[in-house]
Amino acid sequence: MPVAEELDYLEVVASESERFRAVVTSLQAGAGLSSPVPTCPEWDAADLIWHLAEVQYFWTSIVANRPADHTMVAELVRPGDDELIEVLGLWSGRLRSELEAADVGEGCWSWHPAGHNVGWARRRQAHEALIHRVDAELTAAAAGAPFAAAPIDAALAADGIDEMLAVMLGGAYPSPTRHFDADGTS
């Protein structure tokens, strides 16, 4: 699986997570965390924050503890909505620290057959933070919050297309219950 050499995935994880936090903090202060997420119709902003916090906690645990498989990661208990942004900040910071401390070639569990190293986790988490930053911006825009969408780096966007095609659609992730139609729906 190609990894774009020019991309600093650690910086992407940090900057996209920080942008996400800034958007949802503004949303919390304005329209509120019950604002619906247009790109995830079953979620509100609180659910979106919780999702990213939980994902970042999970990958922090994977990289820090190197369990044999994902079932060895303890479940994170969802806090009240008023604590979600703080919990997100905690796990975003710890994720970056763990990813930075580990060598990209070091092994770690992954659901993807080609993803059993820290470099893969860095890339995956960079794209995870990016896509949910965009979700947060779309949520803020729909709620009338004063946030304009930030641009997406062209190299990162191209890398994200590669990841979608090679990892999400071409890898072990798709299941018999998950498919993507030619019109972009799933």
Side-chain angles (χ1 to χ4, degrees):
M1 167 179 345
V3 176
E5 296 294 328
E6 68 275 4
L7 290 173
D8 182 346
Y9 292 116
L10 287 174
E11 179 53 37
V12 172
V13 169
S15 63
E16 295 296 342
S17 296
E18 186 55 39
R19 172 72 179 178
F20 179 93
R21 273 185 65 203
V23 174
V24 296
T25 297
S26 173
L27 192 56
Q28 182 180 41
L33 298 184
S34 62
S35 300
V37 180
T39 47
C40 303
E42 296 176 10
W43 288 358
D44 61 18
D47 295 326
L48 180 62
I49 297 165
W50 173 241
H51 170 73
L52 188 57
E54 192 174 36
V55 166
Q56 291 185 335
Y57 156 78
F58 177 83
W59 284 99
T60 298
S61 299
I62 292 293
V63 174
N65 303 320
R66 310 295 166 88
D69 69 57
H70 69 286
T71 63
M72 300 174 82
V73 175
E75 187 174 331
L76 187 62
V77 176
R78 182 174 175 160
D81 288 359
D82 59 328
E83 299 173 55
L84 285 170
I85 295 173
E86 182 180 339
V87 169
L88 172 70
L90 169 74
W91 292 112
S92 291
R94 287 187 180 174
L95 176 63
R96 177 164 183 174
S97 294
E98 291 298 334
L99 289 172
E100 191 169 35
D103 183 85
V104 296
E106 289 181 51
C108 68
W109 175 89
S110 170
W111 48 263
H112 192 272
H116 295 282
N117 64 56
V118 172
W120 185 90
R122 283 183 179 185
R123 181 186 193 209
R124 175 81 282 283
Q125 290 313 296
H127 290 292
E128 185 82 17
L130 167 66
I131 197 64
H132 292 311
R133 182 267 286 177
V134 172
D135 289 334
E137 289 174 341
L138 292 170
T139 302
F147 256 98
I152 298 172
D153 176 80
L156 184 61
D159 190 57
I161 293 168
D162 179 75
E163 187 198 36
M164 177 57 102
L165 294 174
V167 174
M168 298 301 192
L169 297 178
Y173 180 72
S175 71
T177 61
R178 182 76 179 161
H179 71 278
F180 292 90
D181 294 329
D183 67 357
T185 61
S186 59

